[in-house]
Amino acid sequence: MKVYWKKFNNEYIPKVVGKQPNKNMADDVGIDSSLDKRTPLYERIIKLTKVCRVVKGGRKYKYLALVVVGDMCGKVGFGIAKASEVQDAVIKSGHYAQKHMLGVPLGKNKRLIYNVEGKYNSTKVLMWNSREGIGIRAGSTIRSILDALGIRNAGAKIIGSRNPHNVIRAVFNALQGLCIRFRLWKYHC
């Protein structure tokens, strides 16, 4: 079996020659769709804020919750919700996150397939793999997303605004780009 390096989007990716025609090198990478009601989910509150609305009779206070939910096997989602009580806001945002989960293809040992970058407004996020035993070297917001995905060794850098709302959306843009690149790679190999 020979490995050739094929250039794709300014990066070299392996192309294996001398294998079975239907078997792909990326077949060990997959998205597990076995999410049901009994699966325990990782849930983390990223930001909890008290917001105020001024009306004619005075001020009305609500709570805004930003929550990340994942199954630690390649599915992750985030939700933002407001409610008059803290617990209600957390539950609402958790339900929204579960409904809108993103399946991310992971490599062996639950690692990122590529180095990825995502951008949202003035926030840019770079994520890459680290060698075994390093752990997650990232800010608390990105760390919680990578924990929810199940990734153990990775690094990340935030360039620009560190607002948690922007950071989460930039990370999810990067993960969606990773899914698209994986589909293209699987198609072309």
Side-chain angles (χ1 to χ4, degrees):
M1 180 165 71
K2 294 182 180 179
V3 177
Y4 293 100
W5 293 91
K6 179 178 164 187
K7 191 167 186 179
F8 175 72
N9 200 5
N10 293 333
E11 259 183 56
Y12 285 94
I13 57 173
K15 181 163 182 155
V16 180
V17 177
K19 57 181 178 134
Q20 298 173 357
N22 293 335
K23 176 118 172 94
N24 195 331
M25 186 175 163
D27 282 343
D28 60 337
V29 180
I31 301 171
D32 188 19
S33 62
S34 61
L35 185 67
D36 57 356
K37 300 285 182 186
R38 295 179 300 253
T39 306
L41 293 175
Y42 173 92
E43 185 170 322
R44 178 88 184 258
I45 300 171
I46 303 297
K47 189 172 184 181
L48 191 61
T49 311
K50 189 176 185 181
V51 292
C52 173
R53 185 177 58 150
V54 179
V55 295
K56 186 177 178 183
R59 294 182 181 151
K60 298 229 174 188
Y61 291 100
K62 285 190 175 186
Y63 295 93
L64 182 132
L66 176 60
V67 174
V68 169
V69 173
D71 66 348
M72 300 186 80
C73 291
K75 285 198 169 202
V76 69
F78 76 97
I80 303 170
K82 287 183 196 172
S84 57
E85 295 294 325
V86 174
Q87 192 67 24
D88 295 337
V90 171
I91 290 171
K92 275 173 70 174
S93 57
H95 285 308
Y96 184 84
Q98 287 178 24
K99 283 182 188 175
H100 299 91
M101 290 182 91
L102 174 69
V104 179
L106 299 176
K108 289 182 179 177
N109 300 327
K110 293 186 181 175
R111 300 179 64 135
L112 290 171
I113 301 172
Y114 302 109
N115 299 340
V116 291
E117 68 178 57
K119 188 169 175 16
Y120 183 79
N121 287 349
S122 63
T123 302
K124 187 175 180 181
V125 172
L126 307 170
M127 292 189 296
W128 59 88
N129 276 325
S130 296
R131 61 185 156 88
E132 197 66 35
I134 293 291
I136 296 175
R137 289 189 174 178
S140 61
T141 307
I142 299 177
R143 177 186 300 269
S144 61
I145 295 172
L146 295 177
D147 284 340
L149 273 172
I151 295 173
R152 294 192 189 101
N153 300 301
K157 177 72 179 156
I158 302 170
I159 300 169
S161 171
R162 292 181 179 339
N163 180 359
H165 297 276
N166 290 350
V167 170
I168 283 184
R169 289 203 160 108
V171 168
F172 272 81
N173 286 345
L175 293 176
Q176 284 176 342
L178 177 70
C179 295
I180 292 169
R181 286 188 68 185
F182 172 69
R183 284 193 212 112
L184 286 172
W185 181 41
K186 197 164 184 177
Y187 178 73
H188 286 293
C189 284

